[in-house]
Amino acid sequence: MARAAWSDDEVEAVRELARNFFEKEVVPHEEKFVAQGHPDRELYNRAGELGLLCTAVPTEYGGGGGTFAHEAAIIEEQTFAGDGALGMPVHSSIIAPYIAEFGSEELKRRVLPKAAGGEMVLSIGMTEPGTGSDLQNIKTRAVREGDEYVITGSKIFITNGWLCDGIIIAAKTDPTKGAAGVSLIFAEVSDDTPGFKRGRILSKMGGKGQDTAELFFDGLRVPASNLLGTGEGQGFYQMMQLLAQERLVTAVIAVPMMEKAVQLTVDYTKGREAFGKPLYAMQNTKFELAECATITKVARTFLDESIVKHLRGELDIPTAAMTKYWITDQLNIVVDRCLQLFGGYGYMTEYPISELYTGARVLRILAGSNEVMKDLIARSL
Ligand SMILES: Cc1cc2nc3c(=O)[nH]c(=O)nc-3n(C[C@H](O)[C@H](O)[C@H](O)COP(=O)(O)OP(=O)(O)OC[C@H]3O[C@@H](n4cnc5c(N)ncnc54)[C@H](O)[C@@H]3O)c2cc1C
C-alpha cells in the first residue's frame, strides 16, 4: 500500500514494529482471549516495552513524543493483523490525551509514565445504564469532602473495564446543572480498592476478546487533585474537545477493515469455483468488488485528509463527525456485500470476514452513534 501523506520514515518504523508485535505476539493467542473475554494483561507491558503505548504523549511524561500519525499507524496495523482484543486505541489515543491535556502537572508525572510503560491500563467511564448519548444526564455523583471526591454511581460498556487500573470517570459535581455540572475525575483502582467494584465482562456479538465491563462506585474516594481541568464543571467541554479525536480513531479502525474485507474477498472469489469457473469471473462478483473497492478508496482518501487536518490542529467537530459516521456506515455496507460473496463460509466464525462483519457493527454505535454525528453536522450547516 502506498505511504499516506500523513506518514514519514519514523511513522513507518513504528508501523513495522506494531505489525510484528500484533502478528507474532498477539494474534496467535486470539482464541484464548475470546475464551477468557479479555487479552492477557502482560501484553500491555510488552507493548509498553516496545514503545507502542502513548506514542503521542510528550517524552517528559514517558511517552513517545510523537503525534497522532504514530497512533494511527499502530491502530491500522492492529486492525490489519486482526486483533480485536487489546484496548490500545482506547488506552493510548483516547484516554491518555485527557490526562496529557487536562491533568495537573503532578497527575501527568504520576500517571502517564505508567500508562506508557503498560503498568497501568486506562479506561474512560462516560456511559451509564440510564444514559449514553445524552451525556449531560449522567447520574454518577462526585461530592467534594475535604481534599477528596467521594464517587457514587455506575458505568456500563466500559472498554478495558476488566483490566483497567486507571479510570477517567465522568461525574456530576453539580446535579442542579446539565452540561455545566459534569466533571472528569481520574481514579486509580485495583480489585481491593474500597468503594470500587467491577461487574461482569459483558458478552458481545463481536470483539469477544476485548474486555467490556460494568463498573460500580459506592463511596470511592479519590484525591481532589485528580480532577481534570482548572475547576469543576469543565468535563462536558473537555469531552467535546477530545471526542473529535475519538471519532477519528473509529474511522482509523474502520478503513483498514474495509481494505481487508475487499482483499480477502478478491482472494476468496478467485480461488472458489462455481458453475465451472471462479466466482470472480462472474460479472456480479466483479461489479460488487469494483464498487466495494471504490467506496473503500473514497473512504481512505477522506480519512487521510481528516488525519492531515487533525495533525495541523484543523479538524473541526462537524468534519470529525462526518468522517466517523460516513466511513463506519460505508464499512458496514462493504463488509456485508463482501460476506455475501463468501456464501455459507462467510457466516462461519473461522473465516475472518465474519469477524469483520460483527466487529463493524459496533462502530456505528460507539464514540457517539452515527445519528448523533448527523445531529452535530446539521448544527454546523
Ligand atoms: C463495545 C462497546 C464499547 C464501548 N466502550 C465505551 C467506553 O469505553 N466508555 C464509555 O463511556 N462508553 C463506551 N461505550 C458506550 C457507547 O459510547 C454508547 O453505547 C453510545 O454512546 C450510545 O449510548 P447508548 O448505548 O446509551 O444508546 P442511547 O443513548 O440509548 O441511544 C440509542 C440509539 O438512539 C438513537 N439516538 C440517540 N440519540 C440520538 C439523537 N440525538 N438523535 C437521533 N438519534 C439518537 C441512536 O440510534 C442510538 O444508537 C461502548 C459501547 C460498546 C457497545
Side-chain angles (χ1 to χ4, degrees), residues 297-309:
K297 186 123 193 166
V298 176
R300 165 58 72 187
T301 309
F302 187 15
L303 172 66
D304 285 348
E305 188 195 88
S306 293
I307 294 176
V308 169
K309 276 196 182 134

Side-chain angles (χ1 to χ4, degrees), residues 220-287:
L220 171 69
R221 289 185 172 269
V222 178
S225 57
N226 282 16
L227 175 76
L228 300 188
T230 51
E232 292 180 0
Q234 298 174 2
F236 204 79
Y237 161 78
Q238 291 163 342
M239 289 190 279
M240 290 307 110
Q241 213 178 325
L242 292 193
L243 276 169
Q245 176 157 314
E246 180 169 345
R247 282 154 193 165
L248 189 57
V249 166
T250 315
V252 174
I253 296 170
V255 170
M257 288 172 80
M258 294 167 89
E259 290 167 343
K260 192 170 170 179
V262 172
Q263 191 54 57
L264 286 170
T265 314
V266 168
D267 293 347
Y268 179 80
T269 54
K270 284 186 175 172
R272 171 123 180 133
E273 293 209 350
F275 302 98
K277 56 184 176 183
L279 287 177
Y280 192 80
M282 292 170 181
Q283 192 186 51
N284 178 66
T285 309
K286 283 191 278 195
F287 282 13

Side-chain angles (χ1 to χ4, degrees), residues 71-375:
E71 294 290 322
I74 295 169
I75 297 168
E76 287 193 342
E77 290 309 314
Q78 179 173 12
T79 307
F80 284 132
D83 171 51
L86 269 179
M88 280 170 51
V90 170
H91 173 95
S92 294
S93 313
I94 295 175
I95 304 163
Y98 277 95
I99 298 166
E101 195 78 23
F102 306 116
S104 67
E105 191 58 27
E106 186 274 324
L107 192 71
K108 288 196 264 196
R109 294 206 179 274
R110 184 156 48 87
V111 169
L112 291 174
K114 287 193 218 163
E119 294 151 54
M120 182 182 269
V121 175
L122 302 174
S123 70
I124 188 160
M126 300 187 236
T127 309
E128 300 184 352
T131 190
S133 308
D134 186 10
L135 280 174
Q136 306 185 25
N137 257 324
I138 54 168
K139 298 284 179 264
T140 296
R141 274 286 272 136
V143 178
R144 179 85 188 242
E145 277 185 17
D147 55 3
E148 289 180 323
Y149 280 105
V150 182
I151 302 176
T152 303
S154 66
K155 298 289 174 183
I156 196 164
F157 306 145
I158 305 308
T159 303
N160 298 345
W162 190 252
L163 293 179
C164 67
D165 322 277
I167 316 163
I168 293 175
I169 303 168
K172 274 278 166 83
T173 37
D174 185 346
T176 65
K177 292 183 182 150
V182 176
S183 299
L184 299 180
I185 302 171
F186 182 74
E188 276 159 89
V189 293
S190 73
D191 289 343
D192 304 324
T193 304
F196 171 70
K197 207 163 136 309
R198 300 178 209 271
R200 66 208 157 96
I201 297 179
L202 299 165
S203 168
K204 310 189 290 295
M205 66 187 274
K208 289 172 185 284
Q210 151 84 134
D211 49 314
T212 308
E214 293 168 289
L215 302 175
F216 300 98
F217 314 109
D218 183 11
L220 171 69
R221 289 185 172 269
V222 178
S225 57
N226 282 16
L227 175 76
L228 300 188
T230 51
E232 292 180 0
Q234 298 174 2
F236 204 79
Y237 161 78
Q238 291 163 342
M239 289 190 279
M240 290 307 110
Q241 213 178 325
L242 292 193
L243 276 169
Q245 176 157 314
E246 180 169 345
R247 282 154 193 165
L248 189 57
V249 166
T250 315
V252 174
I253 296 170
V255 170
M257 288 172 80
M258 294 167 89
E259 290 167 343
K260 192 170 170 179
V262 172
Q263 191 54 57
L264 286 170
T265 314
V266 168
D267 293 347
Y268 179 80
T269 54
K270 284 186 175 172
R272 171 123 180 133
E273 293 209 350
F275 302 98
K277 56 184 176 183
L279 287 177
Y280 192 80
M282 292 170 181
Q283 192 186 51
N284 178 66
T285 309
K286 283 191 278 195
F287 282 13
E288 280 294 282
L289 283 166
E291 288 183 28
C292 286
T294 308
I295 296 168
T296 301
K297 186 123 193 166
V298 176
R300 165 58 72 187
T301 309
F302 187 15
L303 172 66
D304 285 348
E305 188 195 88
S306 293
I307 294 176
V308 169
K309 276 196 182 134
H310 188 50
L311 289 168
R312 286 200 212 116
E314 292 167 5
L315 184 71
D316 55 48
I317 289 173
T319 310
M322 286 176 186
T323 314
K324 193 268 175 181
Y325 119 72
W326 190 81
I327 288 178
T328 59
D329 267 10
Q330 296 308 314
L331 164 69
N332 277 264
I333 293 166
V334 164
V335 172
D336 182 64
R337 289 169 78 174
C338 286
L339 187 146
Q340 185 69 15
L341 296 172
F342 276 76
Y345 296 95
Y347 199 66
M348 299 298 128
T349 53
E350 66 197 83
Y351 279 73
I353 193 72
S354 105
E355 204 180 310
L356 286 170
Y357 182 84
T358 49
R361 191 60 188 85
V362 78
L363 297 182
R364 289 168 57 200
I365 298 167
L366 51 65
S369 76
N370 285 5
E371 292 74 17
V372 169
M373 294 304 103
K374 289 179 205 172
D375 202 46

Side-chain angles (χ1 to χ4, degrees), residues 29 31-41 162 201 208-209:
H29 310 291
E31 267 182 39
K32 179 186 173 203
F33 304 155
V34 169
Q36 67 194 18
H38 60 84
D40 285 346
R41 173 67 181 79
W162 190 252
I201 297 179
K208 289 172 185 284

